[in-house]
Amino acid sequence: MRLSQGFFPTVKEVPADAVIPSHQLMIRAGLMRQLAAGIFSFLPFGYNVMKKVMQIIREEMDAIGGQEFHLPALNPIELWEETDRVKAFGDIMFHVKNRPMVLAPTHEEVITAIAKNHIKSYNQMPQIWYQIQTKFRNEPRPKSGVLRGRQFTMKDSYSMDSSWEGLDKSYDLHAEAYKKIYTRCGLSFYIVGASSGAMGGSGSQEFMVESNAGEDNLAVCEESGYAANVEIATSLVPSAERYSLSEPLKEVHTPNCKSIDEVAAFLKLPTNRCAKSLIFMNGEQPVLVLMLGNNQLNESKLQKVFGADIRPAHPEELIELTGADAGSIGPVGLNNKFHIVADNRLKDANGLVCGANKNDFHLLNLDMQRDVKIEAFYDFRTVEEGETSPDGKGKLRIVKGIEVGHIFKLGTKYSDSMKAMFLDEKGEEHPIIMGSYGIGVERIIACHIEQHHDENGIKWQKALAPYDVHLISVNMNSPEVVAKADELYKLLPQQGISVLYDDRSGVTAGFKFKDADLLGMPLQIIVGEKNLKNNLIELKDRNSGDRKTVPVENAVEEIVAFVKN
RNA sequence: CGGGGUGUGGCUCAGCCCGGUUAGAGCGCUUGGUUCGGGACCAAGAGGCCGGAGGUUCGAAUCCUCUCACCCCGACCA
């Protein structure tokens, strides 16, 4: 493509609305333009990249036996009522005003509807069905360019198996395919254990790219390779000590001590001799959760035990239920009213401080065995930076990550509710066992740029580069330069190399170099007067910044060698 | 949905507090000329009812009310 003829709206200034590098560069390099919050038009340059990403995904999906579908985005709302997801999605789903239709935020229902009509026997499975299409979600707050949009492209695939072993196999095939996809896309990534959330199912993993622009927190350990979303991450931390002597409970006045830090300082005790009480409402049932010291309660872990509807109690409820405000609440004497559970670190501990259920008073010498009946101990902690990895092989780092893929073992959630049944060898009917696997296409592009850029622009890795090389004719007034550049522009495609050719006249050399760095093709081929007089052509590697000159007659060969590696 | 911020030529912004010529700058764009290896220079141009509605005032980009849009933090996130 000749730059003089193509549509390449590059911009020098940093767009005011863009905060993260990938967003800024996707605008500046002319990959896309914003139409409305969370809605983007992809321009030819950007769509070129998107097609490369989709092609890689297709190849790897096809390699594990996937079959590509093209499915409707407009869905009858009744379909979503069958699985009760109109309610589950709530305001996230776009509703069509003049028809009982919705815009699909994902495609489990459509796929299951097809399976229900056509998959009747265990003989017809396994199946892997996928699509790469636009999804619609009414995000409350679109942000970070393409990272959280209201309309975006997603590859999602669905596996259908007749056995749980089959599901495991389909799931593993996807995990392997995903590793290949992200690796080919030039991303370094973590595979983390994840909370399966409201999707349900028995297992789930996320593919995460480390980035400050990320919305998820990850606990990772370089030494052992452990990586998990902090929603479920664990670490090795010692339990609170049990003293041999258990002193009797004693009430003490602790004026104006609200936080654990204040109580510990006032009583001259370490914070990890304090038991913090947190009150939640599980429907009408109050729940008291005990945590050690300043340990942060992990609400995902709490929800896993009690369900998603559990919520923190309101201040009025606290005083009504315990007789004290937050900060002076403790478990002693509340067993008849509350479900009382505790974090593992408190198991069997004694000599602890807790609230006395009387404002400005605490109890000393709480013994978890003697003074309170704990229904169960769970891991409720949020792990912290520097703690030991659960495998004991190193320290955890907490990093931010962008989710670029998520794989789920769905099980029979959708086949049950939609009655997608098959007959097994014995003629018995069972629901199809399903998996669901998603990849965000635009997110791959944004992450690629987050990981491969500098102050001058994008540094495309070969697999995603919209063109293999960027050919620059430095001076269009020089007939020799133009002739040589034109010749390369003709020859290189014959070697299977795609060329972006800056043949603009009336643009200075510096301007062309800046644009080339911004646009970021892996190799720049610079044809200029001085070098050409010495029968030389300059090659610049955008990633390393290395430049070298090669004799004209070797140019094509060198370029081919670079591109094909 | 809570909190904060911003809307002024295509882009980045100044002007607004403290109302008062014809609303500015840089970049980009058009024309002519000079340049031609790191976002050139000279000259001449085009381009704006200052997000929208209402109000206060002799007079509003500027003050007041409402509204819309976009960005950021939080909540939310299959």
Side-chain angles (χ1 to χ4, degrees):
Chain A
M1 170 62 73
R2 289 176 180 265
L3 259 169
S4 64
Q5 289 164 15
F7 179 55
F8 295 88
T10 57
V11 328
K12 187 161 70 173
E13 318 243 24
V14 176
D17 283 348
V19 174
I20 64 169
S22 59
H23 186 191
Q24 294 173 347
L25 288 169
M26 286 174 85
I27 302 295
R28 290 226 295 134
L31 302 226
M32 65 178 190
R33 286 293 182 267
Q34 178 164 331
L35 183 65
I39 305 174
F40 295 87
S41 305
F42 270 75
L43 313 184
F45 193 68
Y47 193 51
N48 225 327
V49 180
M50 200 186 271
K51 284 186 282 192
K52 300 237 168 181
V53 173
M54 293 191 290
Q55 184 55 31
I56 289 171
I57 293 173
R58 283 196 175 96
E59 287 172 14
E60 297 301 337
M61 289 308 300
D62 291 350
I64 62 168
Q67 303 155 82
E68 186 169 7
F69 281 57
H70 188 79
L71 301 170
L74 256 188
N75 292 184
I77 195 165
E78 303 89 77
L79 183 63
W80 290 78
E81 277 160 354
E82 278 184 52
T83 54
D84 206 29
R85 286 175 101 197
V86 175
K87 210 172 92 196
F89 272 105
D91 198 44
I92 290 289
M93 192 150 64
F94 283 108
H95 291 245
V96 175
K97 268 188 181 165
N98 56 353
R99 286 268 171 196
M101 297 274 192
V102 295
L103 290 175
T106 173
H107 277 80
E108 280 81 6
E109 278 76 1
V110 175
I111 284 284
T112 309
I114 296 167
K116 170 187 178 163
N117 286 332
H118 300 286
I119 304 288
K120 296 294 181 189
S121 156
Y122 72 96
N123 275 318
Q124 293 169 284
M125 291 184 277
Q127 290 287 325
I128 293 174
W129 295 353
Y130 75 97
Q131 55 149 196
I132 305 176
Q133 286 179 238
T134 307
K135 313 276 165 171
F136 300 87
R137 287 180 199 179
N138 186 22
E139 290 290 347
R141 179 150 99 84
K143 58 179 285 202
S144 302
V146 105
L147 285 183
R148 179 163 293 272
R150 294 208 166 116
Q151 171 175 345
F152 56 95
T153 309
M154 190 162 130
K155 187 287 304 186
D156 54 357
S157 55
Y158 304 93
S159 63
M160 276 147 278
D161 283 280
S162 57
S163 69
W164 293 94
E165 296 72 34
L167 170 62
D168 290 343
K169 200 176 161 199
S170 296
Y171 182 91
D172 291 342
L173 282 173
H174 276 87
E176 290 308 311
Y178 276 33
K179 287 182 205 168
K180 288 181 187 163
I181 289 167
Y182 299 121
T183 302
R184 285 182 66 186
C185 287
L187 297 179
S188 63
F189 58 94
Y190 294 106
I191 302 174
V192 306
S195 156
S196 36
M199 286 289 277
S202 54
S204 117
Q205 283 170 301
E206 289 168 332
F207 292 75
M208 307 285 302
V209 168
E210 182 177 345
S211 162
N212 285 331
E215 302 182 309
D216 290 274
N217 288 309
L218 276 32
V220 301
C221 175
E222 315 297 344
E223 291 90 339
S224 71
Y226 175 80
N229 199 307
V230 291
E231 288 177 354
I232 66 157
T234 60
S235 62
L236 292 183
V237 282
S239 294
E241 195 184 340
R242 179 166 184 90
Y243 300 129
S244 49
L245 189 63
S246 218
E247 306 266 357
L249 279 174
K250 183 180 163 200
E251 190 176 285
V252 290
H253 187 45
T254 50
N256 294 318
C257 294
K258 303 280 181 221
S259 67
I260 291 289
D261 285 333
E262 287 163 354
V263 171
F266 182 80
L267 296 172
K268 299 193 169 52
L269 287 167
T271 56
N272 63 8
R273 294 320 302 178
C274 296
K276 177 169 62 174
S277 300
L278 302 166
I279 309 295
F280 290 84
M281 297 300 292
N282 193 18
E284 292 301 303
Q285 174 62 51
V287 176
L288 189 149
V289 183
L290 281 166
M291 300 293 296
L292 177 62
N294 273 324
N295 287 184
Q296 282 298 308
L297 174 85
N298 184 322
E299 295 207 19
S300 298
K301 292 180 178 177
L302 185 72
Q303 286 181 3
K304 202 164 181 183
V305 174
F306 289 100
D309 290 333
I310 192 163
R311 61 161 176 88
H314 304 306
E316 319 81 72
E317 290 170 328
L318 294 181
I319 201 122
E320 183 185 326
L321 288 162
T322 71
D325 290 316
S328 299
I329 293 172
V332 176
L334 294 183
N335 262 114
N336 52 349
K337 242 188 274 181
F338 283 75
H339 283 308
I340 301 182
V341 293
D343 182 67
N344 285 334
R345 287 188 88 183
L346 284 167
K347 202 162 192 174
D348 299 331
N350 64 355
L352 297 163
V353 176
C354 67
N357 294 324
K358 192 161 117 189
N359 278 349
D360 292 332
F361 285 90
H362 279 76
L363 295 175
L364 301 182
N365 305 322
L366 174 72
D367 185 331
M368 297 293 284
Q369 293 177 345
R370 179 190 66 194
D371 301 320
V372 56
K373 187 175 169 296
I374 304 296
E375 288 181 18
F377 289 88
Y378 296 98
D379 168 31
F380 283 136
R381 287 186 75 239
T382 303
V383 301
E384 286 172 31
E385 175 98 18
E387 292 173 357
T388 304
S389 173
D391 46 37
K393 288 183 195 152
K395 300 288 184 205
L396 293 180
R397 241 178 9 113
I398 308 289
V399 302
K400 289 192 161 194
I402 298 169
E403 179 186 351
V404 288
H406 202 158
I407 56 180
F408 282 99
K409 290 181 184 175
L410 279 183
T412 58
K413 180 176 156 98
Y414 296 92
S415 44
D416 270 331
S417 55
M418 293 179 67
K419 307 273 182 302
M421 313 295 274
F422 70 95
L423 294 179
D424 68 10
E425 302 90 318
K426 298 173 200 144
E428 289 171 5
E429 193 175 56
H430 302 283
I432 297 171
I433 299 168
M434 298 177 64
S436 160
Y437 319 88
I439 292 181
V441 175
E442 290 94 337
R443 280 187 180 185
I444 288 185
I445 299 171
C447 287
H448 187 273
I449 295 170
E450 289 289 328
Q451 292 193 344
H452 304 289
H453 74 275
D454 62 16
E455 64 281 5
N456 294 314
I458 302 171
K459 304 202 271 197
W460 293 113
Q461 305 305 108
K462 287 175 190 169
L464 296 197
Y467 298 89
D468 294 321
V469 298
H470 189 129
L471 173 63
I472 298 172
S473 166
V474 173
N475 186 347
M476 295 301 290
N477 294 326
S478 158
E480 296 79 20
V481 166
V482 173
K484 180 44 74 181
D486 278 352
E487 185 193 334
L488 286 170
Y489 184 58
K490 201 174 295 169
L491 286 177
L492 289 170
Q494 294 169 11
Q495 304 293 319
I497 290 174
S498 59
V499 184
L500 182 62
Y501 177 23
D502 194 344
D503 63 334
R504 291 174 296 183
S505 45
V507 173
T508 59
F511 199 99
K512 291 188 177 185
F513 294 143
K514 288 288 186 189
D515 257 358
D517 285 348
L518 212 210
L519 293 172
M521 255 49 73
L523 183 69
Q524 296 172 14
I525 304 164
I526 301 162
V527 184
E529 237 174 341
K530 286 174 200 159
N531 278 324
L532 200 57
K533 266 181 196 146
N534 299 317
N535 202 40
L536 293 170
I537 280 173
E538 180 179 340
L539 303 181
K540 175 180 165 185
D541 181 331
R542 176 68 178 95
N543 276 287
S544 64
D546 294 344
R547 301 157 181 276
K548 65 174 176 179
T549 50
V550 300
V552 167
E553 55 275 16
N554 297 344
V556 170
E557 192 187 332
E558 291 262 0
I559 293 162
V560 170
F562 179 95
V563 172
K564 311 284 185 200
N565 223 316

